[in-house]
Amino acid sequence: MFALLVLDVQVGLVHGPESMWRCTEMLETINTLMALARRAGAPIFLARHIGPVGTPIGPGSPLTELAPELQLDGSEVVFEKHRPSAFAGTGLLDQFHAGGVSGVVITGMKTQYCVDTTCRAARDMGLEAVLIADGHTCADTPQLRAEQIVAHHNATLAGAFCSVVPAHAWSFPVPAQAARTAVPAR
């Protein structure tokens, strides 16, 4: 079974001082993927990055709240992380193992930080990792435009660290037990 993992789609990034490249499109992509995951019975996990006390993204900061554009229904698992990897010190891998999750579909922010790190860590932990090519974003840096950063990471991560798939080409596999018990359409 695959889980959907949404990284750091928080108020402070979506509505913060940096302009995220194709942010509106990324949010629409993530909402579509969440709907697909729900229909397939795949679990959805949303990470909130929390920084040190006294920083703009410290504990309790409204900037760490999930972006209101996300179409949540309450069935999602929301957890906090303090490192770029969604697996570092969070218990996420244990939750995956307990739920029979062997693959993870990765989306969110920011490409060159938490998205990159989580893709690499997922493979190292034995998970089948899928990065949604149009499901992550970042802001321009002094060295590169965000579009270049996203394209570079899609190319770099593909193969050795994860599969890179455009959202329109991804579908969550229906778990075998659910497929066996499904009532055929008449």
Side-chain angles (χ1 to χ4, degrees):
M1 175 188 311
F2 278 85
L4 176 62
L5 178 58
V6 180
L7 299 170
D8 308 342
V9 180
Q10 300 172 199
V11 170
L13 292 175
V14 173
H15 299 289
E18 294 183 305
S19 178
M20 298 291 156
W21 178 67
R22 294 186 70 250
C23 190
T24 299
E25 293 85 351
M26 183 209 61
L27 289 163
E28 291 169 2
T29 296
I30 290 172
N31 284 328
T32 298
L33 289 166
M34 286 194 297
L36 290 171
R38 286 183 194 107
R39 281 196 290 276
I44 301 169
F45 294 82
L46 295 107
R48 294 174 49 230
H49 191 92
I50 308 297
V53 172
T55 65
I57 59 167
S61 169
L63 298 178
T64 66
E65 295 301 317
L66 294 173
E69 292 86 351
L70 292 173
Q71 297 169 0
L72 307 177
D73 71 3
S75 66
E76 306 84 7
V77 175
V78 179
F79 67 99
E80 296 180 358
K81 66 182 187 58
H82 302 276
R83 305 283 305 149
S85 170
F87 299 101
T90 63
L92 181 61
L93 186 61
D94 292 337
Q95 289 183 312
F96 280 6
H97 288 156
V101 172
S102 60
V104 60
V105 177
I106 300 167
T107 65
M109 298 172 152
K110 290 182 171 180
T111 298
Q112 71 273 39
Y113 297 114
C114 299
V115 172
D116 176 276
T117 303
T118 299
C119 285
R120 293 171 189 262
R123 182 62 59 92
D124 288 346
M125 294 183 175
L127 296 167
E128 186 174 345
V130 175
L131 175 62
I132 299 298
D134 49 341
H136 61 100
T137 194
C138 59
D140 291 344
T141 69
Q143 295 78 26
L144 293 171
R145 292 186 331 273
E147 182 177 6
Q148 294 171 303
I149 295 167
V150 169
H152 169 78
H153 280 76
N154 283 345
T156 301
L157 293 169
F161 300 103
C162 60
S163 300
V164 177
V165 178
H168 74 270
W170 176 258
S171 63
F172 287 88
V174 176
Q177 183 176 358
R180 285 194 302 269
T181 60
V183 177
R186 294 183 191 249

